Amino acid sequence: MNARITQRQHALSIYIVLVVGLMAAVVASRWIEAANLPIEWIVCGFPLASVCLVLLNYKYEQTLATLRRYLSELERLNNSHLELPSYNTEIRWTTRANNARRFHDVACAVLVLCCNGIALGAFYQMYPEQFKFASPTVWFTSLVTLTSAGALLLLSRFSHRPRY
């Protein structure tokens, strides 16, 4: 379980590294005007990184839920959950664990909103002639950002819940 939780935290680290790298590319592209880089392609990388974070978090949430269901089954062997505290079987423990993990989902959603907002702000400040509210890049980034943040907030629906 701890290894899977650690992997979930690493997904957040991967996201941050991707965002920092993309921001560096945005800033560097301003000084490399001779290359005529399409800044829109770099900006579109931010919401795509957000989608990757959602998919990785979903994967880890499913893995954790499966492991907790398995452990719950083991805790119920020979009705041992009636005699011993059972972390994965008793509602009071699973509810607390799920609520605590929800903070991770909220933090990820806020991070996605902030990072993509900063990306759009940098795009606007550094390339005002290319930034247009009706551009596909701005719409794509905005829609995918909002969808990703919403999906991160809904991940708790996939958490482990005991059968009784």
Side-chain angles (χ1 to χ4, degrees), residues 3-37:
R4 299 301 178 247
I5 292 169
T6 301
Q7 286 177 335
R8 190 172 190 219
Q9 293 302 110
H10 286 300
L12 191 54
S13 299
I14 291 168
Y15 176 73
I16 296 297
V17 168
L18 282 171
V19 166
V20 169
L22 286 167
M23 189 55 72
V26 168
V27 171
S29 70
R30 187 72 175 149
W31 290 303
I32 309 173
E33 293 179 17
N36 200 14
L37 294 171

Side-chain angles (χ1 to χ4, degrees), residues 51-66:
V51 168
C52 290
L53 178 64
V54 171
L55 294 174
L56 287 172
N57 274 350
Y58 175 76
K59 173 194 163 205
Y60 293 126
E61 188 63 42
Q62 288 297 309
T63 303
L64 286 168
T66 301

Side-chain angles (χ1 to χ4, degrees), residues 136-151:
T137 302
V138 172
W139 277 97
F140 174 77
T141 301
S142 300
L143 290 174
V144 173
T145 297
L146 292 174
T147 303
S148 296

